[in-house]
Amino acid sequence: MRMRLSRCRPRARERLRVAIAALASAQRDLEDATVPVRRLDAVLGEAERLKRELAGARDEDQAALGRWIAQGGVGDRPQPSATTVAADGSLGGMAPELRAVASALPAARAAQEAATGRVRLAVAERDSALHAVVVEAAATAAGELTEALNRALRVEAKIHSVREALSAHTDGLPACEKINAALRQAKAVVGVPRNARCRPEIARPPCL
């Protein structure tokens, strides 16, 4: 089923158009505000990866030292592995970046949250405007339905008048029965195929 939103008043359609444009703008702002947060989080993620790598390497170093002690300290004392040294150096080299991230991240996340809030408000306004347009279009369609039903009832009334005129004559009874059968047949074939899984489609007006 398609409902033509173009039947709505221009003011309602203009509100919907403005709401859709505002939502698109808010979504772009949110994307822009999310980029810095992702970059800052990436630095933190790399630091966490190095911390895990360093912890694992140190555990292996301690295990090697423990084995050396258990064997009586024969040979050279085990030194930190190349992995430990590299991870420790990389993590230490990130210290300035981590301090900068810690300073910048609160403001970046606050900006992202504010942008998210504007998107929520824009979605709510878009939905409200859309609902208003759909209700208005449905009311217009309902008026058309009333006119169509009245036309059908007028046609049926004419048919009933003819049938009543025939019923006044004794020899008109067979014709009356045929008229009744024709009415029943006409009403039996009226209908629209139904599919409970189908949802109505709303046709967007050209201006949108």
Side-chain angles (χ1 to χ4, degrees):
M1 182 183 77
R2 298 184 67 84
M3 186 178 296
R4 286 290 171 188
L5 302 189
S6 55
R7 295 173 176 175
C8 300
R9 292 174 296 179
R11 184 176 179 180
R13 286 161 43 198
E14 176 63 13
R15 179 193 172 193
L16 178 57
R17 186 192 67 78
V18 171
I20 291 173
L23 175 57
S25 177
Q27 289 172 331
R28 288 192 296 270
D29 290 344
L30 177 57
E31 291 174 1
D32 292 341
T34 299
V35 171
V37 175
R38 287 176 178 166
R39 290 171 177 166
L40 295 171
D41 282 341
V43 175
L44 295 179
E46 176 61 13
E48 288 300 319
R49 186 192 68 78
L50 287 172
K51 287 178 182 179
R52 291 192 298 270
E53 183 177 325
L54 179 59
R58 282 177 172 169
D59 287 343
E60 293 178 0
D61 291 346
Q62 290 175 357
L65 180 59
R67 289 193 297 270
W68 180 77
I69 294 172
Q71 293 170 1
V74 178
D76 295 335
R77 179 186 179 91
Q79 299 299 312
S81 67
T83 301
T84 301
V85 174
D88 192 27
S90 296
L91 193 57
M94 290 185 67
E97 293 181 12
L98 292 175
R99 288 193 294 269
V101 168
S103 175
L105 192 55
R109 283 182 174 162
Q112 183 186 40
E113 290 174 2
T116 300
R118 289 193 293 272
V119 168
R120 292 195 189 99
L121 291 175
V123 168
E125 170 59 16
R126 188 277 315 273
D127 289 348
S128 177
L130 177 60
H131 296 167
V133 168
V134 171
V135 168
E136 190 172 316
T140 301
E144 295 175 358
L145 173 62
T146 299
E147 294 176 3
L149 290 174
N150 285 334
R151 286 195 298 271
L153 290 174
R154 285 194 293 270
V155 171
E156 185 176 9
K158 291 179 181 179
I159 296 173
H160 284 308
S161 296
V162 172
R163 185 191 61 189
E164 290 173 2
L166 286 173
S167 64
H169 303 278
T170 305
D171 58 354
L173 293 178
C176 289
E177 290 300 324
K178 291 181 179 180
I179 290 174
N180 289 334
L183 281 173
R184 288 193 297 269
Q185 177 64 20
K187 292 180 179 181
V189 299
V190 171
V192 179
R194 293 186 179 183
N195 187 340
R197 293 177 296 179
C198 290
R199 300 180 63 182
E201 295 182 4
I202 300 174
R204 190 202 254 171
C207 66
L208 301 181

